[in-house]
Amino acid sequence: MSTTVAGAAGTEGLAGPEPGAPGAEQLAGLVLAAGPHATAVTLAVARGERSAVHCHGRTARDGGPCTPDTGYELGSVTKTFTALLLAELAARGEVSPDDPVQRHLPAGRRPPDVRRGGPVRLIHLATHTSGLPGLPPGLLVSAVPSWNRNPYAGYDEQRFWAALARTTVRRPPGEVYWYSNYGVGLLGRLLAEAGGGPDYAGLLDERIGRPLGLATLTCSPDAPLLATGHHLGRPLPPWRIPALPGAGAARAGGADLLRFLRAHLEPDGGPLGTALREVRRPRLRLPRSGDEICLVWNHRRAPDDRDLFFHSGGTRGFTAFVGFCPQTATAVAALTNTGPTVRSSFTQTAYDTFKRLARPDGETAGSG
């Protein structure tokens, strides 16, 4: 069962499957890549003034039809929202990317111990160059009992702050790229403190969700319209990550992710314009790669000088991919309700789909 919501920007209306809609030919490949354990797949595509949200399957094996508003856990795609929050607070003068971490710590909280180099700064957290490890100390030990279901659920805010105080940064901040959920999770907490919001979820809604009209964007595991995640065919409870919401707690539907990506394509004249331009600016080149890191976003330059910005994410029960290309006004979000595994090809298929649709002839190119 598949449906397509298609139309010009801002004029989507419910319709049956439309083979001519952008991305229609690529949906089948993503359904295949999602594998037999997925019950839902969403592919949202914008190409110039045309857009479509293709929905396949049901929210659960006994659930209702998947729709453009069906929410998926985004995993590390959450980090792109955290990056936009950093740029938005910086545009308002509430923070500077060069601020040291300790400037925005809650009262009584200690920063990590830096053995060499200067302090850890916000920009280091947003570019994975802070020197912090991938996860906070103690998290893996607490995660083992629920590793295949909800490994982060038992690691709360108090344990996070206690771990930060005993963390030692052994490499000079800004020197080495090392992907870190810990670092971006810390960034989300510091931004919530600096922005005056009650928490990360509240700041996300206030500064991004409402200005961009993202009604399904939420960090709540109990929000309505959420699909059920699956791991190796087993339905899972909602993902909970109380200590690190800025690294992986967001949920959203395909239509709202497309609105989010369109805002990156067309920052001028819209809300968050300065911040949306800033997150696209490359900050460093990755070692042994031609890719660059912006504020969280990966940046790859195509042979014809097109800019491909992308990020992927996964929880135990969901896989997500987002990407946009300004030169061809292309945006793609691909979502499924089964978690990534060693043999999973969903993320690679989603990236290949994005790359194909972002070509200058992408609107008319087939799926081959």
Side-chain angles (χ1 to χ4, degrees):
M1 177 185 60
S2 299
T3 59
T4 298
V5 175
T11 62
E12 290 92 346
L14 186 63
E18 296 185 3
E25 295 183 31
Q26 286 75 26
L27 178 63
L30 282 164
V31 172
L32 182 64
H37 301 313
T39 70
V41 175
T42 293
L43 173 62
V45 179
R47 173 79 189 194
E49 292 302 311
R50 302 180 67 210
S51 65
V53 183
H54 307 278
C55 303
H56 174 87
R58 295 183 173 276
T59 59
R61 300 209 180 277
D62 58 351
C66 175
T67 76
D69 290 330
T70 294
Y72 293 78
E73 294 171 0
L74 302 183
S76 285
V77 170
T78 303
K79 294 179 175 68
T80 66
F81 290 92
T82 303
L84 187 56
L85 282 174
L86 170 60
E88 197 275 340
L89 267 66
R92 292 176 178 234
E94 295 172 83
V95 303
S96 166
D98 290 326
D99 285 347
V101 162
Q102 50 264 42
R103 182 169 300 174
H104 302 292
L105 283 173
R109 303 300 182 184
R110 288 174 50 197
D113 178 24
V114 180
R115 292 294 173 87
R116 293 188 294 136
V120 176
R121 302 181 186 276
L122 302 187
I123 188 65
H124 299 145
L125 302 175
T127 55
H128 299 291
T129 57
S130 66
L132 292 172
L135 295 172
L139 190 149
L140 282 178
V141 172
S142 70
V144 169
S146 57
W147 188 254
N148 288 325
R149 293 174 63 81
N150 231 325
Y152 294 173
Y155 197 87
D156 62 17
E157 180 179 354
Q158 293 304 312
R159 296 181 72 177
F160 173 84
W161 290 123
L164 185 69
R166 67 174 188 269
T167 296
T168 298
V169 178
R170 302 185 184 280
R171 292 182 177 272
E175 185 176 274
V176 176
Y177 173 86
W178 187 264
Y179 189 89
S180 177
N181 285 311
Y182 190 7
V184 183
L186 173 59
L187 177 62
R189 289 206 167 276
L190 298 178
L191 295 176
E193 187 74 13
D199 53 23
Y200 176 84
L203 188 70
L204 181 66
D205 180 60
E206 175 190 340
R207 301 297 183 94
I208 295 179
R210 278 182 269 167
L212 296 183
L214 309 182
T216 65
L217 177 64
T218 180
C219 290
S220 172
D222 303 314
L225 305 178
L226 295 179
T228 297
H230 294 80
H231 178 70
L232 300 178
R234 293 185 298 107
L236 297 180
W239 180 255
R240 297 179 187 274
I241 183 170
L244 304 164
R251 285 103 165 141
D256 274 347
L257 281 178
L258 201 56
R259 294 184 184 97
F260 174 66
L261 295 171
R262 273 193 178 277
H264 289 74
L265 290 174
E266 305 163 356
D268 295 326
L272 310 180
T274 299
L276 288 161
R277 288 191 299 272
E278 192 65 13
V279 297
R280 292 173 17 174
R281 185 160 64 86
R283 310 297 173 133
L284 62 96
R285 187 172 299 276
L286 293 178
R288 300 179 297 280
S289 170
D291 291 359
E292 296 174 306
I293 291 293
C294 306
L295 291 183
V296 167
W297 286 96
N298 300 296
H299 171 251
R300 182 169 296 165
R301 184 66 57 85
D304 60 359
D305 286 337
R306 283 175 297 118
D307 295 298
L308 304 178
F309 299 90
F310 58 96
H311 209 286
S312 62
T315 65
R316 278 293 175 266
F318 290 82
T319 310
F321 173 89
V322 291
F324 65 95
C325 174
Q327 287 86 351
T328 59
T330 302
V332 170
L335 307 159
T336 189
N337 67 334
T338 189
T341 65
V342 173
R343 297 182 179 180
S344 173
S345 64
F346 186 84
T347 299
Q348 184 62 52
T349 302
Y351 172 76
D352 292 341
T353 297
F354 164 55
K355 186 170 66 171
R356 184 178 302 118
L357 291 170
R359 294 186 317 201
D361 62 343
E363 189 170 3
T364 57
S367 60

